[in-house]
Amino acid sequence: MPAAAPPSFVDRTGLERTVRGLFLAGWDGGELSPQIHGMLESGLRGVALFAKNIETATQPQALCDAIPAARGPGGLIGIDQEGGRVARLREDFDPAGFMVAPPMAEVGRSATPDHIFDLGRLVGLQLKALGINLNFAPVLDVDTNPDNPVIGNRSFGSDPELVARCGAALARGLQDVGVAACGKHFPGHGDTHQDSHHTLPRLPHDRERLDAIELPPFRHAIDQGIASIMPANIVFESLNTPAEDPPPATMSPAVINGLLRKEMGFDGVVISDDLEMKAIAHRTPIEEVAVRALEAGVDLLIACHHPELVLRAIDAVVEAVEAGRLTYDTVAAAHERVERLAQQYQPVTQDASAIEKDLHERRTLEAKLYAVFASVTEASPSTTAASDPTDYLRPAVEDG
């Protein structure tokens, strides 16, 4: 039986605006493009920033100021500021000094949970100063496969309890200063030997293995109040039926609504990984991916590089609701969760004294953490932006 169409009191204009509030978009360049500006004015929830959007030390502030000016309140500016090789803001961002965290594997080896909480505060204060209110971190994957091409030292380590302690501490630090954390990549990307940016990995692990290794960091983060979780673009064979052609976690009701929501009790925001990743983009049109992800329980959808794909996905979701395939209640519940997150982590205008206070804390934390991580080799090949496995659509990569 088809799902119920939207209530008669919901007109198409209202439905479209509600659906736009379930998307983040990315684009090329250091200025807000006219297309993104118009989408924000029409209700797009916000943007995902990449290194391609960061051009000079002063330009990101103007860019981040322009986003809420276009959208109004309730927006989200997201960024991957993990540390190590995945950090959109690098050391040369601020001539006065800007600390980029070392790889999380080094953090897990060198730091106590208190240090990691401080690191979360530092990163949060750095982002807060720009008006960025959503960090796609921490990585909660357990690094159990030495041949993993995409996680590796982005993980805190190979011990689930260590990853759980460290990840929760980082998330608490971020959120303590007003930046929402996002734990990734549920239920776990640490044991793959393939990169979901380029292909669709599959994991055969049974439930006993997942409960012992992959899931504990996510359970602990949920218990500690993490604001959002990002599912992996990976097939988990044991969690899906039928097993002949199971969907990746992003489109799996069994993984999102079943395991994450009902069993693990997560009531925060579920944020998709980039829908342009080849794991799904080369298999399923974005229109279908968006509808199926929302059906599965995802709340906030991201396409990081081509705004026109976001527009196509929005139209597809609206049409799915009007046709009765996707319930309006599903869309409304997702919108309510995203709106709650956006309001909770809404940037506030600070006066000069508050800005100075935050800057003083940043400098204090930097000095403290530089001492903790003094043994880390600076700018090693595994920590530079050039080795970032998530920056997979950079022109240098596309050109070979």
Side-chain angles (χ1 to χ4, degrees):
M1 177 180 295
S8 58
F9 59 82
V10 179
D11 62 16
R12 184 179 178 91
T13 300
L15 175 60
E16 288 175 342
R17 192 166 187 90
T18 297
V19 172
R20 291 187 197 110
L22 307 182
F23 285 85
L24 301 181
W27 78 103
D28 292 339
E31 295 183 356
L32 202 59
S33 72
Q35 184 179 37
I36 293 289
H37 190 282
M39 292 168 68
L40 288 165
E41 286 184 321
S42 299
L44 181 74
R45 179 61 62 178
V47 303
L49 298 180
F50 275 70
K52 63 187 180 182
N53 305 119
I54 312 298
E55 295 180 340
T56 68
T58 57
Q59 162 267 335
Q61 187 67 70
L63 172 60
C64 291
D65 289 346
I67 293 164
R71 191 200 187 275
L76 292 171
I77 302 176
I79 196 168
D80 292 276
Q81 193 68 14
E82 298 173 16
R85 55 189 169 147
V86 182
R88 311 307 180 205
L89 301 170
R90 306 302 305 183
E91 289 85 348
D92 58 358
F93 166 68
D94 184 351
F98 188 87
M99 178 179 176
V100 175
M104 292 301 103
E106 181 63 34
V107 172
R109 285 190 294 267
S110 307
T112 67
D114 286 344
H115 291 143
I116 299 170
F117 175 80
D118 285 343
L119 179 61
R121 282 188 64 88
L122 172 60
V123 175
L125 289 168
Q126 291 171 336
L127 301 180
K128 176 185 173 184
L130 290 169
I132 297 170
N133 55 352
L134 172 61
N135 191 13
F136 303 123
V139 170
L140 296 177
D141 304 312
V142 181
D143 182 28
T144 55
N145 188 340
D147 295 324
N148 191 317
V150 67
I151 301 301
N153 66 0
R154 296 169 64 196
S155 166
F156 288 102
S158 59
D159 178 3
E161 292 187 6
L162 173 69
V163 175
R165 291 194 303 272
C166 295
L170 189 76
R172 286 190 293 106
L174 284 164
Q175 293 180 181
D176 197 52
V177 296
V179 174
C182 181
K184 59 190 185 184
H185 308 80
F186 184 83
H189 203 323
D191 199 38
T192 64
H193 65 276
Q194 296 171 306
D195 182 350
S196 54
H197 296 93
H198 301 289
T199 190
L200 180 62
R202 300 172 72 98
L203 283 177
H205 300 325
D206 61 22
R207 185 56 194 274
E208 183 178 2
R209 153 69 193 239
L210 295 174
D211 281 333
I213 305 297
E214 278 75 19
L215 293 178
F218 292 96
R219 290 189 188 278
H220 188 56
I222 291 168
D223 290 343
Q224 294 290 305
I226 196 165
S228 62
I229 287 177
M230 178 179 290
N233 288 326
I234 298 174
V235 171
F236 291 83
E237 295 173 353
S238 67
L239 298 178
N240 291 278
T241 54
E244 293 79 23
D245 188 26
T250 304
M251 296 185 284
S252 172
V255 173
I256 307 302
N257 277 333
L259 176 58
L260 181 59
R261 293 272 192 220
K262 293 179 182 177
E263 184 176 332
M264 298 175 69
F266 182 64
D267 191 39
V269 173
V270 178
I271 305 177
S272 81
D273 210 335
D274 183 10
L275 301 184
E276 298 189 53
M277 290 167 60
K278 294 177 182 177
I280 52 178
H282 279 192
R283 297 166 59 91
T284 309
I286 195 167
E287 294 89 344
E288 182 68 10
V289 172
V291 173
R292 290 180 61 186
L294 289 169
E295 288 176 327
V298 175
D299 301 306
L300 185 62
L301 304 166
I302 310 176
C304 293
H305 302 281
H306 298 94
E308 61 273 14
L309 294 180
V310 174
L311 295 174
R312 284 166 47 187
I314 289 169
D315 288 344
V317 172
V318 170
E319 290 168 6
V321 175
E322 291 181 329
R325 174 183 171 182
L326 185 63
T327 69
Y328 178 75
D329 286 349
T330 296
V331 170
H335 189 274
E336 181 180 354
R337 284 188 287 265
V338 175
E339 182 68 20
R340 185 173 64 213
L341 176 81
Q343 293 300 328
Q344 182 176 354
Y345 293 96
Q346 185 71 21
V348 297
T349 302
Q350 294 183 291
D351 60 24
S353 63
I355 293 172
E356 182 61 31
K357 179 181 177 183
D358 281 356
L359 182 59
H360 176 73
E361 182 178 359
R362 282 173 56 186
R363 298 308 182 216
T364 301
L365 290 171
E366 284 172 351
K368 177 180 180 181
L369 293 168
Y370 271 127
V372 172
F373 302 123
S375 62
V376 178
T377 301
E378 294 184 3
S380 69
S382 63
T383 63
T384 60
S387 62
D388 181 355
T390 70
D391 204 1
Y392 56 97
L393 287 180
R394 287 182 300 155
V397 174
E398 292 182 328
D399 293 343

